[in-house]
Amino acid sequence: GDLPLISMKTKRRRLTSPKETVTNSSSDYRGVTHNQKEGKRWTVSIFYNDEDRFVGKYDLESDAARVYDEVSAILVCNYDPNFANKSDHEEARKREAETLGLNLESIDTFQASMEKANIYVNKLLSGAVHDSE
């Protein structure tokens, strides 16, 4: 069946503050949205230079949230992190994997996820990513 609500939601240009963005996605974390169609379920995007930038897709919601934190720390001055510190993230990551019955060995390490995100951030900062998406 078709899901008119979802397509309407995606088409609408989000001009909301980060706080509001969180409430209309199905993630409790800032900068993270749930993507039901994809194998990698959690998408990170960040508002930078008046544009929503797609940063990447992740298996774990907690990894997505931490990628958002790290990327925000570089791109956004007054950001509000999802995790206070590394161990909070590691704790959440373990719990999430257990809940999902996921073997942490079978998915990207957080380091790998972060390396990809850093490549993107460097492109953004160097102006290699164009605003025509």
Side-chain angles (χ1 to χ4, degrees):
D2 62 358
L3 301 163
L5 273 174
I6 288 178
S7 57
M8 270 167 59
K9 200 165 129 184
T10 14
K11 282 205 189 80
R12 210 181 70 232
R13 260 323 254 139
R14 278 205 325 259
L15 295 168
T16 49
S17 76
K19 278 232 166 35
E20 288 171 273
T21 310
V22 170
T23 53
N24 67 22
S25 79
S26 47
S27 170
D28 295 331
Y29 294 114
R30 182 175 279 102
V32 179
T33 44
H34 190 255
N35 187 340
Q36 281 150 326
K37 290 195 202 80
E38 302 282 339
K40 286 187 187 286
R41 287 175 299 203
W42 299 100
T43 301
V44 173
S45 53
I46 190 165
F47 199 68
Y48 175 74
N49 271 0
D50 294 333
E51 292 269 331
D52 263 329
R53 311 291 183 164
F54 169 76
V55 179
K57 294 192 195 99
Y58 307 93
D59 292 299
L60 293 177
E61 186 182 10
S62 52
D63 281 1
R66 176 93 191 285
V67 165
Y68 176 81
D69 287 356
E70 300 284 336
V71 171
S72 296
I74 303 166
L75 298 176
V76 185
C77 320
N78 56 350
Y79 83 107
D80 192 358
N82 289 301
F83 295 109
N85 53 50
K86 212 168 159 174
S87 57
D88 279 7
H89 165 248
E90 278 158 12
E91 199 50 46
R93 188 172 206 260
K94 279 197 205 93
R95 268 203 315 272
E96 188 182 350
E98 266 168 39
T99 310
L100 295 170
L102 252 188
N103 177 357
L104 283 176
E105 307 294 302
S106 70
I107 61 166
D108 281 351
T109 63
F110 177 70
Q111 284 70 20
S113 299
M114 206 50 238
E115 276 163 29
K116 287 182 202 148
N118 277 328
I119 293 168
Y120 179 72
V121 167
N122 289 332
K123 280 188 189 158
L124 261 188
L125 292 172
S126 69
V129 175
H130 300 295
D131 294 354
S132 59
E133 265 193 307

